[in-house]
Amino acid sequence: MAKSLESSDNALSILSIGLVVIDIMTEVETYPVEDTKSRSNSIHERVGGNAASNSIVLSLLGEKASFMGVVGTTKHHLELIKDTFSKYGVDYSSMIECAGHAVPQTVCIICKETGSRTCVHYRGSLPELSFSIFTGASLNFSLYKWIHFEGRYDYQDTHLSIQHCRDVKDSKGYDFKISVEIEKASAKLEKLLDSPADYIFISKDFSIMMGYADMMQAVAGFSQRVKSGVTVVCPWGSSGAAAQTNGAEAVWTPAFPPKETVNTLGAGDTFIAACIKALCHSSCLSTAVRYACQVAGAKCGLREIDQLSTLQFELE
């Protein structure tokens, strides 16, 4: 059973909205050459997807986390998703099951030699979370202190959903923050720069596609394109991360790589989750970005994300 959130709870939840998939993970010694055969060291299934991973990491970092998204009804995959969310204490009561559709899957090749990950995603016929589905879910917005959206290719529905959250927040006087991630290098997602989110997380891939050579150029450029008061955050892998609020100075922090890079899968999702956690605890922007780089860097040195709960991270 999902852990249910009641309005009487002392701690408000962080809601992540977007994709949940089944990752088929296989580790190889070296990355395979095209059109050849090779053996893998291991293969297993686990729950993945940006928003789902955000929720799991937030829970591992001690936050009350919730997930919302559409999911297929492939029996053993749906059971794995529910069992995984329950294991980590993630509330999935707002997850929408779409009968007759399979759960999307991603094949992830983890290279032991470098720690890199290469992913090939198959969504199938599962519909995206439309604006009508989102509003039809009748969320109790009083339960949340932060609502985070994974920017999907149906950017118009995402934009409308963010605007709906903003309208509810303003009309009811709620205090939750809103954020959105722009990850995919798709020109369509450029429209989300105009969304009424408080924070916009922008990937290195999208930034490069938009013509920015480094993270400082990216935050300087994007911060001029977003609404007044909106903050853009650009994680840049091994170079660290930068952030800038419209009308303010940029901040920057280096990366914190592990002694040995084991698995970089989910590092970006970990960064966003950690940054949101820090900002929820009223950390200044530079502290939040630094904390996020520390947690994401530590994750790259772990084989499984569960191990994050064994490490100690302190906000300054």
Side-chain angles (χ1 to χ4, degrees):
M1 282 297 282
K3 180 184 177 184
S4 177
L5 294 176
E6 302 295 339
S7 57
S8 59
D9 282 354
N10 292 325
L12 297 178
S13 183
I14 299 172
L15 175 64
S16 299
I17 302 170
L19 189 63
V20 59
V21 307
I22 297 297
D23 285 340
I24 302 172
M25 310 270 292
T26 183
E27 183 190 75
V28 295
E29 288 291 330
T30 58
Y31 193 79
V33 177
E34 184 178 1
D35 202 26
T36 64
K37 293 181 179 181
S38 59
R39 289 181 178 270
S40 68
N41 297 334
S42 64
I43 188 167
H44 68 280
E45 293 183 333
R46 52 148 251 186
V47 174
N50 293 25
S53 298
N54 294 149
S55 297
I56 290 170
V57 172
L58 282 163
S59 184
L60 286 169
L61 294 175
E63 293 295 322
K64 182 174 287 189
S66 302
F67 171 81
M68 182 183 189
V70 293
V71 65
T73 53
T74 316
K75 188 174 187 298
H76 67 288
H77 284 162
L78 182 57
E79 289 176 351
L80 176 58
I81 290 168
K82 292 181 176 180
D83 288 346
T84 299
F85 281 147
S86 295
K87 172 185 174 182
Y88 293 111
V90 174
D91 172 64
Y92 60 86
S93 58
S94 296
M95 187 170 70
I96 299 102
E97 296 180 21
C98 292
H101 298 277
V103 174
Q105 298 179 58
T106 301
V107 176
C108 306
I109 302 174
I110 310 299
C111 179
K112 186 176 180 180
E113 183 180 53
T114 63
S116 70
R117 89 290 184 270
T118 303
C119 302
V120 180
H121 178 65
Y122 176 71
R123 183 170 183 84
S125 62
L126 184 70
E128 295 280 0
L129 180 66
S130 66
F131 176 63
S132 60
I133 293 175
F134 177 72
T135 53
S138 300
L139 289 173
N140 183 352
F141 288 92
S142 68
L143 294 176
Y144 307 114
K145 59 183 176 183
W146 196 292
I147 298 177
H148 174 68
F149 288 85
E150 174 188 349
R152 303 290 302 156
Y153 290 113
D154 57 335
Y155 66 92
Q156 292 174 318
D157 287 88
T158 303
H159 197 293
L160 288 170
S161 298
I162 294 172
Q163 184 63 61
H164 177 69
C165 290
R166 174 63 62 186
D167 292 342
V168 170
K169 175 181 177 177
D170 293 344
S171 64
K172 299 290 187 180
Y174 294 140
D175 195 34
F176 60 78
K177 298 294 185 182
I178 307 167
S179 60
V180 62
E181 176 192 17
I182 303 177
E183 181 198 24
K184 305 293 187 293
S186 169
K188 292 181 179 180
L189 297 181
E190 184 179 357
K191 301 292 185 181
L192 292 177
L193 292 171
D194 189 47
S195 72
D198 299 293
Y199 293 86
I200 302 179
F201 294 92
I202 305 175
S203 73
K204 177 181 177 180
D205 288 346
F206 181 83
S207 299
I208 290 173
M209 183 203 72
M210 294 295 293
Y212 297 112
D214 58 56
M215 58 187 168
M216 298 306 292
Q217 286 185 18
V219 295
F222 288 132
S223 67
Q224 297 301 310
R225 300 188 55 183
V226 298
K227 296 181 182 297
S228 177
V230 174
T231 300
V232 296
V233 183
C234 291
W236 213 266
S238 60
S239 296
Q244 187 167 359
T245 303
N246 179 292
E249 294 294 319
V251 299
W252 169 83
T253 184
F256 294 84
K259 291 181 179 179
E260 179 186 3
T261 299
V262 176
N263 180 4
T264 59
L265 183 65
D269 303 328
T270 300
F271 175 93
I272 291 174
C275 194
I276 289 174
K277 172 191 170 66
L279 292 168
C280 280
H281 288 267
S282 301
S283 296
C284 68
L285 185 58
S286 59
T287 297
V289 173
R290 181 180 178 85
Y291 174 79
C293 279
Q294 289 175 331
V295 178
K299 184 263 161 270
C300 292
L302 305 175
R303 192 164 300 281
E304 296 295 339
I305 205 166
D306 305 54
Q307 296 170 285
L308 272 179
S309 62
T310 67
L311 304 178
Q312 295 295 320
F313 303 100
E314 293 187 5
L315 288 170
E316 298 174 358

